[in-house]
C-alpha cells in the first residue's frame, strides 16, 4: 500500500506548493473512517481510495481533487457525514465528495440508472464541476482493474457494460484517451473474453514471428530523425486488443487486412518541428495516399491536435505515425485534466480547454431537455468515432462536423432554430439536396422558412447528436400528442361500454388512484397499452365491473402484447417483418402499407422498396424503440466462406454459439476444392449482436468472406 509520504511526494512532484497538511489529514481521516472494512479481494478497504488518489496524481490533478479521491467513499460507506467533511476539510472538498457520492448512489440503483430522472441527476452532478467526473473515472478505473475479485459474474458483466457504455465514452469526450482505452480494454476482457483472447493470440504470434519489430521500427524512425537534426521522442506500441476489434468491426475486415495494429508516435519540441519531422518521414519513406491528416491547423472539436500520416516505413511495414508537440501529447492523453491542471499556472486555457467543458454543458442541456440515456449515449458514440469535415458559413465561420454530415447537421450546428426552419441548402453557391454529404471546405448556406417544422425523414440523413435529438424531440412530441388523442378515445369508448360517462371529475379520480401526474400522462399510457382499461374504469367506478358480462366486453378491447416495439406506428396497427430482408432491431427501416396486410417492415436498402417508388402514400417512416432486453430473437442471414478443411465447420458453429447466436438453418450454397460457402440463418437480438458475430467470424483463420444477405 502506498505510504502517506509517498502520496505527498507524488503531488509535490507536479505541484510544489501543495498543501501537505491537508493531504496528510485526508489520508489519516479516510484510513480511520474505513477502519477494518475489507474489499472483495480481501485487501483493507482503505487501499481502494488510496489507489484512486494515486491515479489522480498520475493525471496530475490538484490537491482538492486528490483529497476528494481519498475521501470519496467515506460518506457512502462509513459513519462519516457531509457535515463532518465540511467541518474538517471545508466547503470546496465537501461539495466534491458530495458530488462523487451522488454518482455512486445513482449507480447502486443499477436497473434504474437508465431512467431519465436518474440520468438527469447524474449529468447535473458531473456538469457542475468536472473534477467530480475525474474522481469518478479514477474510481471506476481502479474498480475495473480489480474486477476479477468480484465473485458474481452478473455483477461483473453489469459493471463492465456500464463502463463500456457510459464511462469510457465520457472519458473520450473529455479528451482522456489513455484512460478511455484502458477502460474499454478492461471491459472488453469481461464482456467478450473469447474475442479478446483470439486477438491477443494473433498479436503474440505476429510478435514472435517478426522478432521485436516494433522496437526495430521505433529505432529506425528515431535514427532518421536525429540524422536530419530533429530532436524527438519516438514511441511504438501494439494497439490494444479492443482498438483492433473496433477497427475490424468498423471496417468489416479481418485481422490480416488491418494495417494499423501498431501505432507510432513522434513527440517534438515545437509546432515547426512537427512539420519538419513530417517532411523527413515523407522524404525517407513512401506515403500511403489519403491517410494524411493535419489536426494541428484544423484541430478537432475536443481540442485534439496532431499530424497523422501512414507510411510504408522501415521493414516495409504499413504504419501510422502521429506527430505532435509535448503539450499536444499531454492534452491528447489527459484531455480536460491537462487543460485544467495547466490553466491557473501557464495560462493555457484558450479555446481547446473549452471544448471539453462545452461537451459537459451540452450533456447538461440534453439532460434538462429530457433526453433518455440511450439517446445521449448513442449521440456521444456517433460523434466519438467519426472523422471530421470542416465547412464554412457564408460569413466564413468554421463549423466542424463528423464525416457524413449533411446540410441539416450543419444547420443544427449553427443553431437549433436554424435547423428547425431549414427548407433547403446552397453548397458553394449551388442549390443542393438536403441529403448531400458535406465535403471538407464546403461553404454552406441554409435556406430557412418560418413555417417549416422538423421532418421525421431528416432523422435518416443526419449524423450529429444535436440534430438527431432536436428532430427526435419534435417527432416524439407530435407522436405523443397523437397517442394521447387515441388513448382518450379508447378510454371514452370503454366507459360507454360499461354504461358510464368519462367526465373531467372521473379523469381526476383516475389520475389520483393510478398515480399519474396529468390527464395526458394517463391517456398516453392507455394509448400505448401500458395500463389496462379495466384498471381505469375500476379506479373511477369500482362497482361497475362486478357484472362479468360487462367485464368481458371490456377486455375484448384491450391491447395484446406487441412483438417488437416500433416507433412511428400507431398502437394496434398490424405489421410484420419483411421475409425478403429480415430487418433486425437497430437496422434502419421503413414501412410499406399493403392492402389487407397492414404494414410490412423493410430495411432501408431492401430491393423490394423499388417496387413502391412511385407510390409515396404507402411509405411510412419507422424506427425501433430502444431495444428492450427481453426483445424476441430475430433471424439474420449470413453468407460465410470457410476453408475446405477438417474441423472448419465445427469452428464456425462454435464461434457463433460462443457469441450467443443460435443457428436456425445452415446450408451449402457453393463449394470448391478450397472453400465452402454457407448460408447461415442465425437468431440474434439486434444489429449489434449480428455485427459482433460477424466480427468474431472474421477474426478466425478458417473464415474468409462474411456478409449479411439482404433483399
Ligand atoms: Mn470507490
Amino acid at each position: 500500500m502506498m505510504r502517506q509520504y509517498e502520496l505527498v511526494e507524488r503531488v509535490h512532484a507536479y505541484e510544489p506548493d501543495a498543501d501537505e497538511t491537508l493531504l496528510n489529514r485526508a489520508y489519516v481521516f479516510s484510513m480511520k473512517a474505513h477502519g477494518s472494512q475489507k474489499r472483495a479481494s480481501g485487501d483493507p478497504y482503505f487501499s481502494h481510495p488510496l489507489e484512486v488518489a494515486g491515479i489522480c496524481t498520475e493525471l496530475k490533478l490538484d490537491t482538492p481533487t486528490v483529497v476528494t479521491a481519498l475521501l470519496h467513499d467515506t460518506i457512502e460507506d462509513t459513519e462519516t457525514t457531509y457535515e463532518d467533511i465540511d467541518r474538517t476539510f471545508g466547503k470546496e472538498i465537501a461539495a466534491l465528495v458530495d458530488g462523487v457520492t451522488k454518482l455512486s448512489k445513482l449507480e447502486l440503483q443499477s436497473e434504474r440508472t437508465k431512467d431519465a430522472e436518474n440520468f438527469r441527476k447524474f449529468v447535473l452532478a458531473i456538469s457542475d464541476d468536472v473534477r467530480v467526473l475525474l474522481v469518478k473515472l479514477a474510481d471506476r478505473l481502479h474498480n475495473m482493474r480489480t474486477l476479477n475479485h468480484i465473485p458474481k459474474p452478473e455483477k461483473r458483466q453489469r459493471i463492465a457494460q456500464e463502463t463500456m457504455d457510459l464511462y469510457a465514452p465520457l472519458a473520450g469526450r473529455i479528451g482522456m484517451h489513455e484512460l478511455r482505452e484502458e477502460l474499454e480494454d478492461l471491459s472488453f476482457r469481461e464482456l467478450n473474453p473469447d474475442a479478446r483472447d483470439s486477438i491477443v493470440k494473433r498479436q503474440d504470434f505476429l510478435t514472435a514471428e517478426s522478432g521485436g519489430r516494433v522496437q526495430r521500427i521505433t529505432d529506425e524512425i528515431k535514427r532518421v530523425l536525429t540524422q536530419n537534426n530533429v530532436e524527438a521522442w519516438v514511441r511504438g506500441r501494439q494497439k490494444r486488443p479492443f482498438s483492433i476489434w473496433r477497427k475490424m468491426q468498423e471496417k468489416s475486415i479481418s485481422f490480416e487486412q488491418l494495417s494499423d495494429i501498431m501505432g507510432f508516435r513522434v513527440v517534438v519540441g515545437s509546432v515547426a518541428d512537427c512539420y519538419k519531422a513530417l517532411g523527413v518521414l515523407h522524404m525517407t519513406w513512401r506515403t500511403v495516399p489519403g491517410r494524411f491528416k493535419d489536426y494541428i491547423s484544423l484541430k478537432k472539436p475536443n481540442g485534439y491536435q496532431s499530424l497523422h500520416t501512414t507510411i510504408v516505413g522501415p521493414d516495409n511495414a504499413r504504419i501510422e505515425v502521429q506527430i505532435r508537440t509535448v503539450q499536444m501529447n499531454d492534452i491528447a492523453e489527459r484531455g480536460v485534466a491537462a487543460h485544467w491542471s495547466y490553466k491557473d499556472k501557464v495560462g493555457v486555457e484558450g479555446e481547446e480547454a473549452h471544448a471539453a467543458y462545452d461537451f459537459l454543458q451540452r450533456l447538461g442541456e440534453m439532460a434538462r431537455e429530457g433526453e433518455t440515456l440511450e439517446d445521449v449515449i448513442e449521440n456521444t458514440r456517433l460523434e466519438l468515432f467519426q472523422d471530421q469535415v470542416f465547412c464554412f458559413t457564408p460569413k466564413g465561420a468554421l463549423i466542424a462536423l463528423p464525416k457524413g454530415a449533411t446540410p441539416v447537421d450543419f444547420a443544427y450546428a449553427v443553431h437549433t432554430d436554424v435547423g428547425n426552419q431549414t427548407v433547403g441548402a446552397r453548397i458553394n453557391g449551388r442549390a443542393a439536396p438536403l441529403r448531400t454529404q458535406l465535403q471538407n471546405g464546403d461553404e454552406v448556406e441554409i435556406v430557412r422558412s418560418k413555417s417549416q417544422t422538423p421532418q421525421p425523414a431528416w432523422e435518416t440523413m443526419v449524423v450529429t447528436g444535436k440534430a438527431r435529438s432536436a428532430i427526435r424531440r419534435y417527432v416524439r412530441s407530435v407522436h405523443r400528442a397523437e397517442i394521447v388523442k387515441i388513448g382518450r378515445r379508447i378510454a371514452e369508448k370503454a366507459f360507454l361500454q360499461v354504461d358510464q360517462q368519462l367526465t373531467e371529475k372521473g379523469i381526476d379520480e383516475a389520475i389520483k388512484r393510478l398515480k399519474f401526474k396529468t390527464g395526458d400522462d394517463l391517456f398516453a399510457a392507455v394509448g400505448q397499452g401500458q395500463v389496462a382499461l379495466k384498471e381505469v374504469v375500476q379506479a373511477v367506478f369500482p362497482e361497475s365491473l362486478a357484472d362479468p358480462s360487462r367485464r368481458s366486453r371490456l377486455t375484448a378491447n384491450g391491447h395484446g402484447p406487441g412483438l417488437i416495439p416500433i416507433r412511428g406506428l400507431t398502437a394496434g396497427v398490424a405489421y410484420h417483418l419483411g421475409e425478403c430482408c429480415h430487418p433486425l432491431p437497430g437496422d434502419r427501416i421503413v414501412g410499406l402499407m399493403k392492402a389487407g396486410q397492414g404494414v410490412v417492415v423493410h430495411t432501408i436498402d431492401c430491393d423490394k422498396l423499388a417496387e413502391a417508388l412511385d407510390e409515396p402514400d404507402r411509405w411510412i417512416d419507422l424506427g425501433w424503440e430502444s431495444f428492450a432486453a427481453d426483445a424476441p430473437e430475430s433471424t439474420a442471414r449470413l453468407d460465410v466462406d470457410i476453408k475446405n478443411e477438417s474441423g472448419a465447420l465445427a469452428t464456425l458453429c462454435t464461434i457463433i454459439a460462443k457469441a450467443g447466436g443460435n443457428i436456425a438453418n445452415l446450408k451449402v450454397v457453393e463449394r470448391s476444392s478450397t472453400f465452402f460457402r454457407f448460408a447461415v440463418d442465425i437468431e440474434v437480438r439486434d444489429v449489434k449482436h449480428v455485427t459482433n458475430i460477424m466480427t468474431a467470424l472474421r477474426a478466425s483463420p478458417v473464415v474468409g468472406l462474411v456478409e449479411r444477405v439482404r433483399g
Side-chain angles (χ1 to χ4, degrees):
M1 217 184 327
M2 201 193 322
R3 307 285 296 274
Q4 203 166 330
Y5 73 88
E6 279 176 81
L7 182 72
V8 173
E9 269 174 13
R10 284 208 202 180
V11 179
H12 272 164
Y14 60 87
E15 206 179 271
D17 45 0
D19 186 344
E20 193 173 331
T21 337
L22 187 65
L23 286 164
N24 284 331
R25 210 157 7 115
Y27 189 102
V28 175
F29 187 98
S30 175
M31 186 164 57
K32 279 194 180 150
H34 287 293
S36 58
Q37 288 174 349
K38 292 259 188 299
R39 298 202 89 209
S41 60
D43 289 337
Y45 194 91
F46 176 60
S47 65
H48 165 65
L50 190 56
E51 287 295 331
V52 176
I55 293 170
C56 289
T57 64
E58 278 160 32
L59 294 167
K60 302 191 183 134
L61 301 178
D62 71 351
T63 312
T65 313
V66 177
V67 168
T68 302
L70 285 170
L71 302 173
H72 81 271
D73 277 332
T74 53
I75 297 185
E76 178 79 17
D77 294 339
T78 75
E79 305 282 294
T80 311
T81 63
Y82 173 86
E83 286 71 29
D84 294 336
I85 305 272
D86 187 16
R87 211 176 320 113
T88 323
F89 298 97
K91 277 260 165 310
E92 183 188 7
I93 287 167
L96 288 170
V97 176
D98 189 45
V100 183
T101 307
K102 276 184 190 144
L103 293 188
S104 310
K105 277 204 186 124
L106 290 172
E107 242 166 47
L108 282 180
Q109 311 159 321
S110 59
E111 292 311 308
R112 309 202 53 220
T113 6
K114 298 202 169 182
D115 272 20
E117 183 53 23
N118 272 330
F119 184 61
R120 203 181 62 83
K121 286 186 199 150
F122 179 91
V123 165
L124 294 181
I126 61 172
S127 54
D128 240 18
D129 188 328
V130 70
R131 290 178 295 177
V132 170
L133 178 59
L134 295 175
V135 174
K136 190 65 221 173
L137 289 172
D139 175 43
R140 181 50 66 108
L141 180 61
H142 184 244
N143 285 334
M144 286 301 296
R145 283 179 180 166
T146 52
L147 191 65
N148 58 323
H149 293 298
I150 291 179
K152 273 200 190 149
E154 311 86 64
K155 191 173 174 195
R156 287 201 306 267
Q157 289 261 333
R158 177 179 67 70
I159 294 173
Q161 193 66 54
E162 189 183 52
T163 304
M164 191 67 112
D165 287 346
L166 184 61
Y167 290 104
L170 277 174
R173 283 312 300 252
I174 59 172
M176 306 178 73
H177 296 290
E178 293 280 287
L179 191 72
R180 181 188 113 202
E181 283 185 11
E182 189 176 349
L183 285 174
E184 280 172 347
D185 208 47
L186 290 166
S187 311
F188 187 41
R189 191 188 292 255
E190 180 63 39
L191 297 172
N192 207 339
D194 291 325
R196 191 173 180 282
D197 280 355
S198 70
I199 288 174
V200 171
K201 265 194 209 127
R202 274 306 175 89
Q203 277 181 319
D204 291 349
F205 171 74
L206 290 176
T207 313
E209 197 184 39
S210 63
R213 197 176 192 195
V214 173
Q215 192 56 47
R216 259 202 326 275
I217 296 175
T218 310
D219 293 346
E220 183 60 12
I221 293 177
K222 170 92 184 151
R223 193 188 62 76
V224 168
L225 288 173
T226 313
Q227 199 176 45
N228 288 277
N229 302 318
V230 182
E231 205 179 305
W233 171 87
V234 183
R235 195 177 76 151
R237 61 163 192 171
Q238 301 255 19
K239 295 221 165 139
R240 286 184 196 261
F242 183 72
S243 306
I244 293 178
W245 171 261
R246 183 166 58 209
K247 279 255 161 65
M248 286 169 64
Q249 283 202 316
E250 275 174 359
K251 300 188 174 168
S252 299
I253 52 177
S254 69
F255 194 96
E256 272 69 25
Q257 292 167 282
L258 202 64
S259 62
D260 34 9
I261 54 169
M262 299 178 281
F264 294 86
R265 190 172 298 166
V266 172
V267 179
V268 295
S270 67
V271 173
D273 275 356
C274 289
Y275 290 99
K276 200 170 160 197
L278 178 77
V280 171
L281 296 185
H282 282 190
M283 280 189 304
T284 314
W285 291 289
R286 199 150 45 79
T287 63
V288 176
R291 295 293 304 263
F292 171 66
K293 287 180 198 118
D294 184 345
Y295 294 122
I296 291 182
S297 69
L298 284 175
K299 74 182 81 158
K300 284 197 181 183
N302 65 2
Y304 175 86
Q305 285 190 294
S306 192
L307 300 175
H308 291 190
T309 185
T310 302
I311 54 174
V312 182
D315 242 28
N316 243 343
R318 244 178 86 121
I319 53 170
E320 187 182 79
V321 186
Q322 303 176 343
I323 307 167
R324 49 177 87 141
T325 65
V326 176
Q327 190 181 312
M328 288 172 192
N329 190 48
D330 199 27
I331 286 170
E333 286 181 351
R334 297 198 296 130
V336 71
H339 298 302
W340 174 85
S341 60
Y342 279 137
K343 88 179 165 196
D344 297 333
K345 294 160 215 158
V346 205
V348 178
E349 233 206 315
E351 61 185 287
E352 62 257 35
H354 286 133
Y357 292 105
D358 275 356
F359 163 68
L360 286 177
Q361 217 143 46
R362 254 194 299 140
L363 208 58
E365 271 167 35
M366 282 183 174
R368 275 183 282 270
E369 282 165 7
E371 298 294 311
T372 64
L373 177 61
E374 277 83 3
D375 280 346
V376 176
I377 287 176
E378 189 192 340
N379 295 339
T380 45
R381 272 220 190 116
L382 278 174
E383 289 180 0
L384 195 60
F385 300 136
Q386 278 162 339
D387 282 325
Q388 306 285 317
V389 289
F390 298 92
C391 302
F392 299 90
T393 67
K395 284 184 183 156
L398 178 71
I399 306 278
L401 294 164
K403 208 170 186 171
T406 62
V408 182
D409 289 301
F410 183 92
Y412 276 103
V414 173
H415 196 278
T416 308
D417 290 343
V418 177
N420 286 341
Q421 298 174 355
T422 300
V423 285
R426 265 192 280 280
I427 299 176
N428 303 321
R430 283 213 197 127
L434 289 178
R435 241 171 222 295
T436 315
Q437 295 202 351
L438 297 175
Q439 304 297 323
N440 258 322
D442 278 348
E443 185 192 290
V444 186
E445 187 187 343
I446 299 296
V447 186
R448 299 163 65 179
S449 158
K450 284 238 158 69
S451 57
Q452 175 70 308
T453 54
Q455 303 299 299
W458 287 358
E459 218 195 294
T460 61
M461 53 171 103
V462 298
V463 295
T464 53
K466 193 174 180 201
R468 187 179 299 258
S469 65
I471 297 163
R472 275 204 194 160
R473 201 154 50 237
Y474 183 82
V475 171
R476 211 180 279 155
S477 70
V478 171
H479 181 57
R480 182 176 149 93
E482 203 176 295
I483 296 249
V484 168
K485 219 168 24 181
I486 292 167
R488 181 181 267 271
R489 224 178 294 146
I490 293 175
E492 281 167 353
K493 216 166 107 201
F495 277 79
L496 288 179
Q497 280 173 331
V498 294
D499 310 318
Q500 300 285 6
Q501 283 273 345
L502 181 59
T503 59
E504 287 307 312
K505 211 176 134 218
I507 296 174
D508 285 344
E509 194 61 30
I511 293 171
K512 209 164 66 198
R513 291 264 168 93
L514 299 172
K515 299 200 167 65
F516 285 98
K517 279 202 189 111
T518 65
D520 279 3
D521 287 346
L522 168 69
F523 293 129
V526 173
Q528 288 167 315
Q530 288 163 346
V531 57
L533 288 169
K534 211 165 63 182
E535 281 181 62
V536 182
V537 174
Q538 203 139 30
V540 186
F541 301 108
E543 66 296 337
S544 67
L545 290 179
D547 175 359
S549 73
R550 271 183 178 172
R551 217 161 44 220
S552 63
R553 265 188 270 164
L554 255 187
T555 42
N557 204 16
H559 292 249
L563 268 175
I564 307 164
I566 292 187
R567 178 160 29 80
L569 279 182
T570 304
V573 172
Y575 68 88
H576 64 268
L577 305 175
E579 290 292 325
C580 36
C581 51
H582 300 284
L584 294 175
D587 273 336
R588 284 205 196 159
I589 47 174
V590 287
L592 273 189
M593 299 273 271
K594 208 161 176 188
Q597 285 191 30
V599 177
V600 184
V601 181
H602 295 278
T603 61
I604 199 115
D605 52 359
C606 178
D607 295 338
K608 279 266 181 200
L609 294 175
E611 296 168 11
L613 274 183
D614 45 2
E615 301 166 274
D617 297 349
R618 291 179 54 203
W619 291 60
I620 305 173
D621 275 307
L622 298 178
W624 303 92
E625 286 294 355
S626 48
F627 320 146
D630 54 355
E633 306 262 301
S634 318
T635 306
R637 173 165 293 179
L638 302 182
D639 267 350
V640 183
D641 285 355
I642 61 171
K643 283 191 188 153
N644 184 358
E645 62 184 43
S646 71
L649 183 58
T651 309
L652 172 81
C653 297
T654 312
I655 294 172
I656 294 172
K658 275 197 169 167
N662 183 29
I663 299 179
N665 197 3
L666 181 78
K667 66 172 192 262
V668 179
V669 289
E670 216 182 313
R671 67 199 307 173
S672 76
S673 58
T674 51
F675 76 93
F676 284 90
R677 173 165 300 173
F678 284 95
V680 195
D681 290 342
I682 309 175
E683 288 169 355
V684 293
R685 289 184 300 276
D686 53 31
V687 167
K688 218 168 110 193
H689 191 190
V690 78
T691 314
N692 261 329
I693 294 176
M694 290 170 71
T695 311
L697 287 170
R698 288 191 181 109
S700 159
V702 300
V703 176
L705 164 138
V706 182
E707 261 175 8
R708 244 182 100 187
V709 184
R710 298 167 189 269

